[in-house]
Amino acid sequence: MNIRSPIVSVLGHVDHGKTTLLDYIRGSTIASREAGGITQHIGATEIPIETISDICGPLIDKLSIADTIPGLFFIDTPGHAAFTSLRKRGGALADLAILIVDINEGFKPQTLEALNILKMYKTPFIVATNKVDKLFGWDSIENASFTESFKSQAPSVQQDLEMKVYEVVGRLHEAGFQSERFDRVSDFASQIAIVPISAKTGEGVIELITMLLGLAQKYLTSQLAIHKDAPAKGTVLEVKEEVGLGTTIDAIIYDGVLKTNDEIALMVPGDVITTKIRSILKPRPLNEIRDSKNKFEKIDQVTAAAGVKIAAPHLDNVISGSPLQVLNDKEDVKEQILKEIDDVTIDTEDRGVLVKADTLGSLEAIVSLLTDLKVPIRSADIGDVSKRDVINGQIASEENDEDGVIFAFNVSVHPQVREDLEESDVKLFEGEVIYQLTEDYSIWIKEKKEAERKAYLDAIIKPGKIFSIPKLIFRQSKPAICGIEVLSGTIKPGYPLINANGHPVGKIASMEDNGESLQFISRGQKVAMAIDNAIAGKDFEEGDELYIDIPENHYKVLNREFKDKLSEDELQTLDEFVEIKRRNDPDWGKLGLFE
Ligand code: GTP
Ligand code: MG
């Protein structure tokens, strides 16, 4: 019989300080090095009991569990909204949890989501109200206990903290939990302890960890017992290429014992493979598995809970997020894992964008963000962007140009594939920060819609008026050519004309000035104009004012969506024009009942 380390998941809203708390406990600086400043993968660190004793000092001497457990195994989870499935995975793995709440921000959507996960799995937890050092007027004492630090604060600051803690008590009450500040908890079985802390200065961390060990002692002692021959169960965090080892997997072993030469089952796209473990490597204590690099040591076997790197043949296509299980005679492990594959298959539609990501968790996260944005998804896969993806993207773009999009989250694009992309109509959004990808996409869609709208409005014929300058009729007809001046608006070839009585005066064929053909002319310009289907002296006279003949449906669009963009004199011309039209047809341009 062995006692394993309790698994402690740290959950909470984005930026409330989960990674910083673990950094404080480990003495590391991971939070400041994360892409985009957010956690996007599950992290895992083993903290030996000696380190915990060093932090807590005599406070934990009373706890017998401190002599039996080897340490605490912390799991860091992402707080960003998109990572629900990783939070769930982190929550499901946990024996205990710390729910972090920024004391200045209070409860946020992912705080509630985390609470629901804890409720669902009935995980005992502690609430840490973090960032007390940012309370107005707070005077920090580095590494102090909360009790000591609180005592030295001004009464108004103490009051402020009390108020904020009570807000948290209120929110927890709404969620169905009784709670109290930790030093006032009378019954740990029915009340959740709230520990005010600063992950930055370390204030309160002593009490937080002591409370955690208290919970472990109360609830877990039997749950932490491990039979030496129980086959290991775990979760794959990441699949990585390592020099000298080939493809390896990083995994959390949450149950049983894992040994070299064990046969394990793992998930690959659409199937389950089995392979034999060649070697097991363990990060040195206090090293986060995501960050460990060379700080591993080779071991023959490992007992849960632990984070390990595993080298074995055939790991290339293993999916991050896959379950890991040692084969045994009693259970049909493969069948169990196949069932789980069904659960993680991502729903796709007939049309939509393509998504590529590095791990199951990140794929689920980006799919969930896109679904919230109502972006249809045609396919969602794990792996680098391939030639095939570009071909599929091109097909998508030909069907609907908004669908010709590939999201590449944390994956690479081969230079050859990049060349293919450049020659295609496919738009690539790539990066390693999830919200950046969808933000860039939203900006792209917005610009695209604006360009479409501009093209649509450009095609609308707008008001204009010209004046046929006396003595400047150069040709009677076919086409009529005369000198004109623009009195208002912008005039383009192709526009039809009418005179002040509403009679049609042909269509503008071309406009010229000093032998140069013009595509548009505006107010004040004098040019030679050729007019098709009009006879000078019959359809119009020199000295006449002619109006652009706006089609009725164009006028309606203009009136509805574009009026604020017209100038004073264009509006005046529009009024004159409408009056001319309504002399013949009083309802011209008026909206029908159903428009
Ligand atoms: P996600 O993993 O993205 O959900 O965020 P997180 O909860 O891990 O937050 P993280 O530890 O990355 O901290 C976010 C920011 O808050 C960083 O700039 C930290 O330096 C800062 N921060 C965290 N804890 C404290 C604290 O106790 N006091 C102060 N002043 N800043 C803190
Ligand atoms: Mg984090």
Side-chain angles (χ1 to χ4, degrees):
M1 201 77 134
N2 246 345
I3 298 287
R4 64 171 174 82
S5 301
I7 303 177
V8 184
S9 276
V10 187
L11 297 165
H13 195 75
V14 69
D15 276 353
H16 280 194
K18 299 173 288 297
T19 306
T20 306
L21 171 65
L22 294 182
D23 275 338
Y24 175 82
I25 297 172
R26 290 185 286 249
S28 61
T29 56
I30 289 184
S32 58
R33 286 179 280 127
E34 289 175 325
I38 64 169
T39 303
Q40 304 189 110
H41 290 288
I42 287 183
T45 315
E46 196 181 338
I47 313 273
I49 199 70
E50 296 75 37
T51 309
I52 290 165
S53 297
D54 287 349
I55 294 175
C56 296
L59 262 182
I60 62 167
D61 289 349
K62 294 194 294 263
L63 294 164
S64 58
I65 193 159
D67 299 329
T68 52
I69 58 168
L72 291 172
F73 188 73
F74 280 103
I75 292 183
D76 190 7
T77 64
H80 188 277
F83 293 95
T84 304
S85 70
L86 287 187
R87 267 189 300 282
K88 273 210 191 119
R89 209 164 286 147
L93 291 173
D95 298 307
L96 301 171
I98 300 174
L99 177 63
I100 300 247
V101 184
D102 182 329
I103 193 163
N104 298 291
E105 290 206 346
F107 271 47
K108 291 276 168 181
Q110 273 60 55
T111 319
L112 288 168
E113 193 202 74
L115 258 185
N116 281 330
I117 293 169
L118 296 173
K119 217 188 244 179
M120 183 161 81
Y121 293 109
K122 299 196 171 61
T123 314
F125 66 99
I126 291 170
V127 173
T129 50
N130 189 28
K131 309 199 187 183
V132 295
D133 62 292
K134 282 174 81 179
L135 287 173
F136 186 75
W138 185 274
D139 219 352
S140 281
I141 309 176
E142 296 257 330
N143 309 322
S145 70
F146 167 76
T147 314
E148 182 194 350
S149 184
F150 185 71
K151 256 193 254 158
S152 72
Q153 305 300 322
S156 65
V157 181
Q158 292 181 339
Q159 236 168 35
D160 185 26
L161 179 123
E162 291 282 33
M163 292 258 300
K164 290 188 159 121
V165 167
Y166 272 106
E167 274 166 38
V168 171
V169 169
R171 297 303 303 265
L172 283 166
H173 183 78
E174 285 166 25
F177 293 99
Q178 301 307 312
S179 64
E180 238 326 337
R181 203 173 84 185
F182 72 98
D183 45 344
R184 293 192 284 249
V185 169
S186 51
D187 175 16
F188 283 91
S190 64
Q191 288 172 306
I192 307 284
I194 301 173
V195 187
I197 65 161
S198 164
K200 196 171 163 194
T201 66
E203 287 159 293
V205 174
I206 295 177
E207 286 105 327
L208 178 67
I209 292 184
T210 311
M211 291 286 127
L212 208 56
L213 291 174
L215 272 195
Q217 173 153 321
K218 192 164 177 57
Y219 293 105
L220 302 176
T221 319
S222 60
Q223 193 176 323
L224 298 177
I226 290 189
H227 294 282
K228 278 224 160 16
D229 54 351
K233 287 185 181 168
T235 297
V236 176
L237 297 180
E238 236 176 304
V239 182
K240 269 193 212 153
E241 201 68 34
E242 298 281 355
V243 182
L245 292 172
T247 309
T248 64
I249 52 176
D250 289 351
I252 294 180
I253 304 302
Y254 58 82
D255 195 13
V257 182
L258 187 73
K259 304 189 190 79
T260 312
N261 292 327
D262 269 353
E263 193 86 28
I264 51 171
L266 296 154
M267 201 190 276
V268 295
D271 201 6
V272 175
I273 58 148
T274 59
T275 181
K276 198 173 184 180
I277 296 182
R278 207 184 306 136
S279 48
I280 304 174
L281 298 118
K282 205 169 168 234
R284 305 253 155 83
L286 294 174
N287 280 307
E288 150 78 90
I289 194 160
R290 288 183 293 159
D291 194 48
S292 229
K293 296 194 178 63
N294 312 321
K295 300 169 216 148
F296 283 93
E297 56 194 340
K298 207 165 176 167
I299 49 176
D300 291 330
Q301 69 169 58
V302 64
T303 307
V308 289
K309 183 180 282 301
I310 297 170
H314 317 302
L315 294 178
D316 298 278
N317 296 320
V318 169
I319 294 173
S320 305
S322 152
L324 174 158
Q325 227 165 305
V326 171
L327 295 181
N328 64 13
D329 342 313
K330 289 184 216 109
E331 301 168 289
D332 192 346
V333 171
K334 271 178 102 166
E335 190 58 33
Q336 280 175 22
I337 296 184
L338 272 173
K339 256 197 223 127
E340 289 196 39
I341 292 186
D342 279 345
D343 293 344
V344 298
T345 309
I346 286 162
D347 285 337
T348 52
E349 301 176 34
D350 295 342
R351 57 152 287 216
V353 301
L354 289 88
V355 185
K356 304 292 296 220
D358 59 336
T359 69
L360 201 53
S362 51
L363 188 67
E364 286 167 331
I366 191 157
V367 163
S368 118
L369 262 194
L370 291 173
T371 308
D372 286 350
L373 292 172
K374 304 209 165 21
V375 179
I377 297 164
R378 156 186 308 242
S379 73
D381 299 302
I382 292 169
D384 292 341
V385 179
S386 69
K387 248 179 145 62
R388 179 108 242 112
D389 296 325
V390 181
I391 294 168
N392 287 336
Q394 182 64 31
I395 294 169
S397 109
E398 281 160 21
E399 287 169 7
N400 182 336
D401 65 352
E402 274 180 26
D403 291 350
V405 168
I406 299 176
F407 286 94
F409 180 33
N410 264 333
V411 294
S412 49
V413 184
H414 191 272
Q416 180 59 48
V417 175
R418 217 173 268 285
E419 275 176 32
D420 293 352
L421 269 168
E422 260 155 40
E423 283 160 24
S424 75
D425 301 318
V426 180
K427 176 87 184 158
L428 175 74
F429 292 93
E430 62 181 324
E432 48 178 23
V433 181
I434 190 161
Y435 57 78
Q436 196 66 51
L437 285 181
T438 48
E439 265 174 35
D440 289 352
Y441 172 76
S442 298
I443 291 169
W444 179 72
I445 287 286
K446 199 168 151 229
E447 284 171 356
K448 208 171 163 63
K449 293 239 160 86
E450 271 165 16
E452 275 164 17
R453 187 174 155 73
K454 187 169 178 306
Y456 165 71
L457 290 176
D458 276 351
I460 297 287
I461 297 181
K462 292 168 209 72
K465 185 159 82 167
I466 59 175
F467 170 63
S468 165
I469 304 167
K471 303 201 169 48
L472 284 186
I473 295 202
F474 307 116
R475 189 166 147 169
Q476 236 44 52
S477 65
K478 291 184 182 179
I481 299 180
C482 56
I484 61 105
E485 178 182 348
V486 182
L487 299 180
S488 98
T490 301
I491 314 291
K492 295 178 185 171
Y495 279 13
L497 295 166
I498 56 169
N499 67 16
N501 296 321
H503 294 302
V505 187
K507 191 189 234 181
I508 300 170
S510 62
M511 304 168 318
E512 221 174 72
D513 188 27
N514 285 330
E516 194 189 337
S517 159
L518 303 169
Q519 284 318 300
F520 61 87
I521 51 175
S522 37
R523 189 176 159 174
Q525 261 181 295
K526 292 178 185 165
V527 303
M529 178 178 278
I531 307 172
D532 277 336
N533 302 324
I535 302 170
K538 179 165 170 272
D539 296 318
F540 71 98
E541 308 282 346
E542 55 178 37
D544 271 1
E545 288 182 356
L546 303 177
Y547 290 82
I548 301 299
D549 189 10
I550 305 169
E552 193 172 13
N553 57 348
H554 285 218
Y555 168 73
K556 285 177 181 171
V557 173
L558 208 55
N559 206 23
R560 198 173 58 222
E561 304 178 34
F562 210 50
K563 249 187 151 165
D564 57 329
K565 298 217 170 60
L566 297 183
S567 65
E568 209 45 49
D569 64 297
E570 282 174 314
L571 281 171
Q572 166 71 29
T573 304
L574 188 64
D575 285 346
E576 292 168 20
F577 171 74
V578 172
E579 201 215 304
I580 293 169
K581 284 300 219 189
R582 289 193 181 156
R583 262 185 249 148
N584 297 323
D585 173 5
D587 288 332
W588 188 89
K590 291 188 180 159
L591 290 184
L593 204 51
F594 299 109
E595 283 180 281

